[in-house]
Amino acid sequence: MSDTSEDDNEISFSLKFLGRVKVSRPGGLQTLDEANQDLKKPDHLNLEKAGKKSKVHFFLTMSGIDILEDKTKFLLYSCPLSSISFCAVIPSSPKVFGFVAQNPAADTYNCYLFQSTKFSHVLVSLIGDTCRASKNERNTRGNQDLKVEALRHKNKMLQRENEELKRTLLQQTDA
């Protein structure tokens, strides 16, 4: 099931959250597959695995991905789009998809895995498109900042030139 907000800046899905696994690489199908295999191994000490296969609300916006617990709407994870380095459907498990995101507090990566019977490929495409759009928006904003800075510099130079011309004119009229 999918909902879009009134201003079309957010898409949400109800999914099964399989879990989050710390990974050593920022991406690749092998990374997702290894994380999926790791989640299948029983590990009573790892709390990330303890909550696997819980239903969550998956929110995708131009700024990031939020994962909320289904019943309480408690925010479990929030990943800025700029931190996402890879997203794909696992070929050996077509209903399972995931993304790899860099932990903002440390130089580590986490793989978030989900299961969707119908929307895995669609969500991967949406995440990829949203990441590209967000990156283009940041680049456009960056280019606009450069243009504004260049115009400020030019304005400053013209003001200096204007002041020099005024002084020259004043000196010529006084003489």
Side-chain angles (χ1 to χ4, degrees):
M1 185 173 144
S2 168
D3 295 318
T4 56
S5 67
E6 294 169 6
D7 56 2
D8 291 332
N9 288 332
E10 179 181 280
I11 297 174
S12 68
F13 281 83
S14 290
L15 302 168
K16 283 186 183 174
F17 180 55
L18 301 179
R20 180 179 82 159
V21 177
K22 189 174 181 178
V23 292
S24 58
R25 294 183 302 273
L29 287 173
Q30 185 177 359
T31 302
L32 290 182
D33 199 36
E34 288 170 2
N36 191 33
Q37 295 304 318
D38 192 36
L39 280 176
K40 292 178 181 178
K41 295 176 190 171
D43 186 352
H44 301 291
L45 300 175
N46 191 341
L47 297 177
E48 301 292 336
K49 292 181 182 181
K52 70 179 183 177
K53 291 205 176 187
S54 60
K55 191 173 180 183
V56 296
H57 284 287
F58 181 95
F59 288 91
L60 175 63
T61 66
M62 285 297 287
S63 59
I65 294 174
D66 291 335
I67 304 163
L68 279 70
E69 205 268 338
D70 181 49
K71 292 180 182 170
T72 64
K73 305 298 186 243
F74 178 75
L75 181 66
L76 298 173
Y77 302 104
S78 183
C79 302
L81 287 183
S82 60
S83 72
I84 297 174
S85 57
F86 186 76
C87 181
V89 173
I90 299 175
S92 59
S93 305
K95 295 179 182 180
V96 177
F97 76 95
F99 65 88
V100 178
Q102 185 173 14
N103 184 334
D107 195 21
T108 59
Y109 296 92
N110 292 308
C111 180
Y112 300 82
L113 293 168
F114 304 87
Q115 182 177 356
S116 175
T117 55
K118 299 178 185 176
F119 299 113
S120 292
H121 291 283
V122 172
L123 279 166
V124 167
S125 293
L126 284 170
I127 293 168
D129 290 346
T130 306
C131 284
R132 278 188 289 282
S134 175
K135 185 177 181 182
N136 288 341
E137 185 177 298
R138 283 192 310 269
N139 287 343
T140 301
R141 211 177 310 133
N143 289 339
Q144 288 172 347
D145 289 345
L146 287 175
K147 289 177 186 176
V148 167
E149 194 59 38
L151 288 171
R152 282 184 184 148
H153 179 71
K154 188 172 184 175
N155 188 25
K156 198 176 202 180
M157 298 300 291
L158 289 172
Q159 284 176 342
R160 284 182 189 160
E161 184 181 348
N162 193 20
E163 290 299 319
E164 286 178 31
L165 289 171
K166 282 181 182 178
R167 270 184 276 179
T168 306
L169 186 62
L170 188 62
Q171 287 173 355
Q172 287 178 353
T173 56
D174 286 342

